[in-house]
């Protein structure tokens, strides 16, 4: 890691508090590509603290209503996830709430790219913390987010190696009790698929 370059990219990328510091998708892509070139993401993922910090600033860009910006950030998240695997877990937990919020954005390019990225990241880092994060979002006021949370939970269930704890099973069942009776049919459908995965993992309780 070249310290000077790392410091420059820290200012350009992780230090970007305002969306207007990235005027268009070309600027975002350039900054993120520069970050990757100098090993910025590797450095930020070395600790959970820095992973959360990076997630905070990337979430700012995911909240942008310009679809090109969101697509670029989603693309970078996917690339970083595929390259670093479960090391991206703190980053995934950090950006997941905003990805799920984007599902109810009326701009299809934003909702579609965010949906695809959320599912991919859930499969890459299906951790206990992500499971808790998704359960919290499963009760969101927007049906698109509730559906997305249930779909991501299903991905987590399919991708996990470790068995569920009794508390996790109970929390999943409590959530499913609500989501399987949701007013929106797409939420009910996603919840039904999740139920059978939970049933397969803990048949005695489900």
């Amino acid at each position: 890691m070249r310290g000077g370059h790392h410091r420059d990219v820290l200012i350009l990328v992780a230090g970007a508090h305002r969306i207007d510091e990235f005027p268009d998708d070309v600027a975002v892509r350039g900054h993120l590509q520069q970050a990757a070139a100098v090993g910025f993401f590797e450095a930020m993922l070395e600790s959970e603290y820095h992973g959360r910090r990076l997630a905070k600033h990337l979430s700012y860009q995911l909240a942008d209503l310009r679809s090109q910006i969101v697509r670029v950030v989603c693309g970078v998240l996917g690339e970083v996830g595929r390259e670093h695997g479960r090391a991206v877990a703190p980053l995934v937990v950090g950006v997941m709430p905003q990805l799920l919020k984007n599902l109810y954005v009326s701009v299809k390019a934003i909702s579609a790219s965010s949906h695809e990225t959320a599912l991919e990241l859930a499969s890459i880092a299906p951790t206990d913390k992500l499971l808790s994060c998704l359960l919290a979002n499963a009760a969101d006021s927007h049906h698109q987010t509730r559906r997305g949370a249930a779909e991501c939970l299903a991905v987590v269930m399919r991708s996990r190696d470790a068995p569920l704890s009794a508390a996790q099973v109970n929390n999943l069942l409590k959530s499913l009790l609500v989501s399987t009776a949701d007013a929106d049919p797409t939420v009910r459908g996603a919840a039904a698929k999740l139920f059978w995965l939970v049933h397969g993992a803990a048949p005695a309780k489900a």
Side-chain angles (χ1 to χ4, degrees), residues 1 6-7 9-11 13-15 35-36 38-58 80 84 87-91:
M1 170 67 66
H6 175 243
R7 189 165 52 251
V9 176
L10 184 64
I11 294 170
V13 182
V38 299
F40 174 80
F41 291 110
E42 289 88 338
M44 294 299 282
L45 294 171
E46 285 176 358
S47 74
E48 184 171 344
Y49 168 79
H50 286 104
R52 290 198 304 267
R53 185 181 177 195
L54 178 60
K56 177 181 177 181
H57 296 296
L58 290 179
V80 172
H84 298 287
V88 303
L91 176 61

Side-chain angles (χ1 to χ4, degrees), residues 146-186:
R146 297 197 300 274
R147 184 198 71 236
E151 291 171 341
C152 287
L153 281 166
V155 171
V156 168
M157 291 295 300
R158 289 193 291 267
S159 305
R160 282 177 63 91
D161 296 324
L164 294 170
S165 68
Q168 287 172 328
V169 172
N170 288 336
N171 289 336
L172 281 163
L173 292 177
K174 287 178 183 177
S175 177
L176 283 167
L177 188 64
V178 176
S179 56
T180 52
D182 197 279
D184 185 85
T186 65

Side-chain angles (χ1 to χ4, degrees), residues 12-81:
L12 290 170
V13 182
H17 292 277
R18 301 189 310 275
I19 293 301
D20 58 14
E21 293 186 24
F22 295 102
D24 53 40
D25 64 308
V26 175
V28 172
R29 186 187 302 277
H31 290 312
L32 294 179
Q33 286 177 341
Q34 183 185 3
V38 299
F40 174 80
F41 291 110
E42 289 88 338
M44 294 299 282
L45 294 171
E46 285 176 358
S47 74
E48 184 171 344
Y49 168 79
H50 286 104
R52 290 198 304 267
R53 185 181 177 195
L54 178 60
K56 177 181 177 181
H57 296 296
L58 290 179
S59 292
Y60 289 150
Q61 289 137 41
L62 286 171
D64 198 311
L65 292 179
R66 291 169 289 180
S67 60
Q68 290 179 329
I69 298 284
V70 175
R71 285 202 302 266
V72 168
V73 177
C74 283
V76 169
L77 283 169
E79 291 173 11
V80 172

Side-chain angles (χ1 to χ4, degrees), residues 73-204:
V73 177
C74 283
V76 169
L77 283 169
E79 291 173 11
V80 172
R82 290 188 291 273
E83 181 175 352
H84 298 287
R86 296 201 180 191
V88 303
L91 176 61
V92 172
V93 173
V95 299
M96 186 60 72
Q98 186 59 52
L99 287 170
L100 293 175
K101 286 180 182 178
N102 284 0
L103 300 188
Y104 58 79
V105 173
S106 59
V107 181
K108 187 172 182 180
I110 291 177
S111 58
S113 58
S114 297
H115 184 228
E116 180 181 346
T117 302
L119 293 173
E120 181 176 15
L121 294 179
S123 70
I124 290 171
T127 61
D128 290 345
K129 288 185 178 180
L130 180 60
L131 190 148
S132 297
C133 170
L134 293 169
L135 282 171
N137 283 275
D140 191 85
S141 60
H142 298 85
H143 72 270
Q144 298 95 330
T145 295
R146 297 197 300 274
R147 184 198 71 236
E151 291 171 341
C152 287
L153 281 166
V155 171
V156 168
M157 291 295 300
R158 289 193 291 267
S159 305
R160 282 177 63 91
D161 296 324
L164 294 170
S165 68
Q168 287 172 328
V169 172
N170 288 336
N171 289 336
L172 281 163
L173 292 177
K174 287 178 183 177
S175 177
L176 283 167
L177 188 64
V178 176
S179 56
T180 52
D182 197 279
D184 185 85
T186 65
V187 178
R188 295 197 302 272
K193 293 176 182 178
L194 174 60
F195 170 81
W196 289 113
L197 290 169
V198 175
H199 176 76

